[in-house]
Amino acid sequence: IVTFMDIVSFLKPKYVLMENVADILKLNGGSVGRYALSRLVALNYQSRMGLMVAGCYGLPQFRMRMFLWGALPTMVLPKYPLPTHDVVVHGGAPSAFSQSVVAYDENQKPTLKEALYLRDAISDLPKVSNDETADETMYSVKAETEFQRYIRLSRKEMLDYSFGDNKGPSEGMLLDHRPLKLNKDDYERVKQIPHQKGANFRNLTGVKVGQDNVAYMDPTVKPPCLESGKPLVPYYALSFMHGKSLKPFGRLWWDETVPTVFTRAEPHNQIILHPDQARVLTVRENARLQGFPDYYRMYGPIKERYMQVGNAVAVPVARALGYALAQAFQRKTEGNNNLMIVLPGSFSDVAMMRVRARASSSGAEDVLVGDE
Ligand SMILES: *[C@@H]1O[C@H](CO)[C@@H](O)[C@H](O)[C@H]1NC(C)=O
């Protein structure tokens, strides 16, 4: 953050937007967050901080992040875009900053679109094995949900001109649908986790749970072993969070949302197993949970691809913030004292409208619809 602010100080851009995890406001009594804000103020920037939940913009993922806007005194300070979707809540904001959460007031009754679940995002993706290594495969079924129809649109249909003439993959091709390969021991373990909501390492043979919700190995039986001779139930799973965690080797379920897509894909201390396959979520499945259109291709070794996806600002959040920046840049929100703006009703539907328009006027691909 010191370096980030040094760069701001050197470049003096008209606008600044910084993102970080919400925990930055808890770290060392919130001093890191306060430092960022005070550096901007000392540089004569107008500034404002907001906590945004990615799921509120149409994803089956919670993901609360801190966004800091800055604007030179001659500019209009951008506002925060209010949610368009309901979301399943996973933990709140650091209490001293609950006022900074970008949300409707409790007494307001906005009409939000329904929360999304894992099924909405990935049910149409073909089955792949733990040792799949192909970077390109093919879709096997049609999109099953509105989200899937949207996320499968081509670069052109999404009105994305950010990569010049790059058209993206050819029709029917599916990119990066491959998982981090579990080693033989972990693969054996994962095969034994039931295909059931809430299943995790506690379902492995020999694990007991005490009245204090602490997992332990049944002392009356010999601990089961893997082919390699290693224990079926690893010590790190039993000891994680003093034995109280439900995360090691946890399976996601179709009707759940994901708290946060992380940068790593190991199943040892996070819930990342596919609901009914013996593997972790693929790079593509994680990318979908972050709202990346399917035409995005990730690069580098597989672990780096997961990092590219997990480190990103979720795409619909970035898009909503971009809209807010454009509104401020065009001085459309000047003199409006609200800290937040409502996104236009069609905001998350623009590309969908285009698909429908294309379907109803066959061939007329370049017809623009609505306020595009
Ligand atoms: C898995 O464990 C949970 C509780 O820990 C239990 O409710 C469930 O029935 C178990 N599933 C199977 C298939 O044994």
PDB file of all heavy atoms in Angstrom, residues 193-200 202-204 209 246, ligand 1:
ATOM      1  N   ILE A 193     -14.798 -39.596  -0.100  1.00  0.00           N
ATOM      2  CA  ILE A 193     -15.693 -38.566   0.470  1.00  0.00           C
ATOM      3  C   ILE A 193     -17.061 -38.726  -0.204  1.00  0.00           C
ATOM      4  O   ILE A 193     -17.155 -38.654  -1.431  1.00  0.00           O
ATOM      5  CB  ILE A 193     -15.150 -37.129   0.209  1.00  0.00           C
ATOM      6  CG1 ILE A 193     -13.712 -36.965   0.706  1.00  0.00           C
ATOM      7  CG2 ILE A 193     -16.087 -36.085   0.811  1.00  0.00           C
ATOM      8  CD1 ILE A 193     -13.527 -36.929   2.203  1.00  0.00           C
ATOM      9  N   PRO A 194     -18.136 -38.972   0.584  1.00  0.00           N
ATOM     10  CA  PRO A 194     -19.445 -39.226  -0.034  1.00  0.00           C
ATOM     11  C   PRO A 194     -19.913 -38.072  -0.921  1.00  0.00           C
ATOM     12  O   PRO A 194     -19.528 -36.931  -0.703  1.00  0.00           O
ATOM     13  CB  PRO A 194     -20.386 -39.361   1.173  1.00  0.00           C
ATOM     14  CG  PRO A 194     -19.529 -39.493   2.379  1.00  0.00           C
ATOM     15  CD  PRO A 194     -18.185 -38.957   2.044  1.00  0.00           C
ATOM     16  N   HIS A 195     -20.731 -38.433  -1.937  1.00  0.00           N
ATOM     17  CA  HIS A 195     -21.344 -37.419  -2.796  1.00  0.00           C
ATOM     18  C   HIS A 195     -22.609 -36.943  -2.091  1.00  0.00           C
ATOM     19  O   HIS A 195     -23.703 -37.442  -2.330  1.00  0.00           O
ATOM     20  CB  HIS A 195     -21.692 -38.008  -4.161  1.00  0.00           C
ATOM     21  CG  HIS A 195     -20.481 -38.441  -4.921  1.00  0.00           C
ATOM     22  ND1 HIS A 195     -20.534 -38.977  -6.174  1.00  0.00           N
ATOM     23  CD2 HIS A 195     -19.164 -38.404  -4.594  1.00  0.00           C
ATOM     24  CE1 HIS A 195     -19.310 -39.260  -6.593  1.00  0.00           C
ATOM     25  NE2 HIS A 195     -18.465 -38.925  -5.642  1.00  0.00           N
ATOM     26  N   GLN A 196     -22.403 -35.990  -1.197  1.00  0.00           N
ATOM     27  CA  GLN A 196     -23.504 -35.585  -0.326  1.00  0.00           C
ATOM     28  C   GLN A 196     -23.218 -34.166   0.159  1.00  0.00           C
ATOM     29  O   GLN A 196     -22.055 -33.797   0.362  1.00  0.00           O
ATOM     30  CB  GLN A 196     -23.515 -36.542   0.870  1.00  0.00           C
ATOM     31  CG  GLN A 196     -24.716 -36.452   1.754  1.00  0.00           C
ATOM     32  CD  GLN A 196     -24.590 -37.442   2.915  1.00  0.00           C
ATOM     33  OE1 GLN A 196     -23.578 -37.464   3.621  1.00  0.00           O
ATOM     34  NE2 GLN A 196     -25.595 -38.257   3.091  1.00  0.00           N
ATOM     35  N   LYS A 197     -24.286 -33.392   0.343  1.00  0.00           N
ATOM     36  CA  LYS A 197     -24.120 -32.035   0.843  1.00  0.00           C
ATOM     37  C   LYS A 197     -23.432 -32.051   2.206  1.00  0.00           C
ATOM     38  O   LYS A 197     -23.822 -32.818   3.090  1.00  0.00           O
ATOM     39  CB  LYS A 197     -25.499 -31.378   0.962  1.00  0.00           C
ATOM     40  CG  LYS A 197     -25.459 -29.943   1.426  1.00  0.00           C
ATOM     41  CD  LYS A 197     -26.827 -29.295   1.296  1.00  0.00           C
ATOM     42  CE  LYS A 197     -26.769 -27.887   1.887  1.00  0.00           C
ATOM     43  NZ  LYS A 197     -27.847 -27.041   1.367  1.00  0.00           N
ATOM     44  N   GLY A 198     -22.411 -31.250   2.382  1.00  0.00           N
ATOM     45  CA  GLY A 198     -21.741 -31.128   3.675  1.00  0.00           C
ATOM     46  C   GLY A 198     -20.689 -32.185   3.961  1.00  0.00           C
ATOM     47  O   GLY A 198     -20.084 -32.181   5.024  1.00  0.00           O
ATOM     48  N   ALA A 199     -20.456 -33.097   3.021  1.00  0.00           N
ATOM     49  CA  ALA A 199     -19.465 -34.164   3.275  1.00  0.00           C
ATOM     50  C   ALA A 199     -18.045 -33.584   3.321  1.00  0.00           C
ATOM     51  O   ALA A 199     -17.733 -32.609   2.633  1.00  0.00           O
ATOM     52  CB  ALA A 199     -19.554 -35.232   2.185  1.00  0.00           C
ATOM     53  N   ASN A 200     -17.212 -34.171   4.153  1.00  0.00           N
ATOM     54  CA  ASN A 200     -15.813 -33.726   4.276  1.00  0.00           C
ATOM     55  C   ASN A 200     -15.000 -34.849   4.923  1.00  0.00           C
ATOM     56  O   ASN A 200     -15.478 -35.975   5.026  1.00  0.00           O
ATOM     57  CB  ASN A 200     -15.727 -32.424   5.091  1.00  0.00           C
ATOM     58  CG  ASN A 200     -16.381 -32.556   6.455  1.00  0.00           C
ATOM     59  OD1 ASN A 200     -16.098 -33.499   7.201  1.00  0.00           O
ATOM     60  ND2 ASN A 200     -17.270 -31.632   6.785  1.00  0.00           N
ATOM     61  N   ARG A 202     -14.479 -35.739   7.766  1.00  0.00           N
ATOM     62  CA  ARG A 202     -15.106 -36.411   8.911  1.00  0.00           C
ATOM     63  C   ARG A 202     -15.879 -37.652   8.501  1.00  0.00           C
ATOM     64  O   ARG A 202     -16.226 -38.479   9.343  1.00  0.00           O
ATOM     65  CB  ARG A 202     -16.043 -35.437   9.631  1.00  0.00           C
ATOM     66  CG  ARG A 202     -15.309 -34.285  10.296  1.00  0.00           C
ATOM     67  CD  ARG A 202     -16.260 -33.436  11.092  1.00  0.00           C
ATOM     68  NE  ARG A 202     -15.525 -32.421  11.847  1.00  0.00           N
ATOM     69  CZ  ARG A 202     -16.020 -31.773  12.883  1.00  0.00           C
ATOM     70  NH1 ARG A 202     -17.243 -32.017  13.290  1.00  0.00           N
ATOM     71  NH2 ARG A 202     -15.297 -30.877  13.517  1.00  0.00           N
ATOM     72  N   ASN A 203     -16.204 -37.754   7.187  1.00  0.00           N
ATOM     73  CA  ASN A 203     -16.899 -38.935   6.705  1.00  0.00           C
ATOM     74  C   ASN A 203     -15.946 -40.101   6.420  1.00  0.00           C
ATOM     75  O   ASN A 203     -16.392 -41.180   6.060  1.00  0.00           O
ATOM     76  CB  ASN A 203     -17.678 -38.610   5.423  1.00  0.00           C
ATOM     77  CG  ASN A 203     -18.916 -37.772   5.700  1.00  0.00           C
ATOM     78  OD1 ASN A 203     -18.904 -36.558   5.503  1.00  0.00           O
ATOM     79  ND2 ASN A 203     -19.970 -38.406   6.182  1.00  0.00           N
ATOM     80  N   LEU A 204     -14.640 -39.888   6.541  1.00  0.00           N
ATOM     81  CA  LEU A 204     -13.694 -40.978   6.280  1.00  0.00           C
ATOM     82  C   LEU A 204     -13.723 -41.991   7.426  1.00  0.00           C
ATOM     83  O   LEU A 204     -14.012 -41.629   8.579  1.00  0.00           O
ATOM     84  CB  LEU A 204     -12.275 -40.420   6.105  1.00  0.00           C
ATOM     85  CG  LEU A 204     -12.066 -39.518   4.868  1.00  0.00           C
ATOM     86  CD1 LEU A 204     -10.680 -38.889   4.905  1.00  0.00           C
ATOM     87  CD2 LEU A 204     -12.279 -40.304   3.579  1.00  0.00           C
ATOM     88  N   VAL A 209     -16.504 -37.673  16.154  1.00  0.00           N
ATOM     89  CA  VAL A 209     -16.630 -36.274  16.554  1.00  0.00           C
ATOM     90  C   VAL A 209     -17.117 -36.223  17.995  1.00  0.00           C
ATOM     91  O   VAL A 209     -18.139 -36.830  18.337  1.00  0.00           O
ATOM     92  CB  VAL A 209     -17.597 -35.509  15.624  1.00  0.00           C
ATOM     93  CG1 VAL A 209     -17.710 -34.049  16.052  1.00  0.00           C
ATOM     94  CG2 VAL A 209     -17.135 -35.596  14.170  1.00  0.00           C
ATOM     95  N   LEU A 246     -14.662 -27.921   9.329  1.00  0.00           N
ATOM     96  CA  LEU A 246     -15.372 -28.809   8.407  1.00  0.00           C
ATOM     97  C   LEU A 246     -14.811 -28.654   6.994  1.00  0.00           C
ATOM     98  O   LEU A 246     -15.357 -29.183   6.040  1.00  0.00           O
ATOM     99  CB  LEU A 246     -16.869 -28.472   8.402  1.00  0.00           C
ATOM    100  CG  LEU A 246     -17.576 -28.526   9.755  1.00  0.00           C
ATOM    101  CD1 LEU A 246     -19.034 -28.104   9.619  1.00  0.00           C
ATOM    102  CD2 LEU A 246     -17.500 -29.932  10.356  1.00  0.00           C
TER     103      LEU A 246
HETATM  104  C1  LIG B   1     -21.183 -37.753   6.546  1.00  0.00           C
HETATM  105  O1  LIG B   1     -21.074 -37.138   7.815  1.00  0.00           O
HETATM  106  C2  LIG B   1     -22.227 -36.432   8.218  1.00  0.00           C
HETATM  107  C3  LIG B   1     -21.968 -35.779   9.576  1.00  0.00           C
HETATM  108  O2  LIG B   1     -20.647 -35.653   9.867  1.00  0.00           O
HETATM  109  C4  LIG B   1     -23.423 -37.336   8.285  1.00  0.00           C
HETATM  110  O3  LIG B   1     -24.588 -36.592   8.601  1.00  0.00           O
HETATM  111  C5  LIG B   1     -23.614 -38.050   6.956  1.00  0.00           C
HETATM  112  O4  LIG B   1     -24.658 -38.983   7.054  1.00  0.00           O
HETATM  113  C6  LIG B   1     -22.315 -38.742   6.550  1.00  0.00           C
HETATM  114  N1  LIG B   1     -22.521 -39.343   5.220  1.00  0.00           N
HETATM  115  C7  LIG B   1     -22.360 -40.618   4.976  1.00  0.00           C
HETATM  116  C8  LIG B   1     -22.654 -41.086   3.573  1.00  0.00           C
HETATM  117  O5  LIG B   1     -21.992 -41.403   5.822  1.00  0.00           O
END
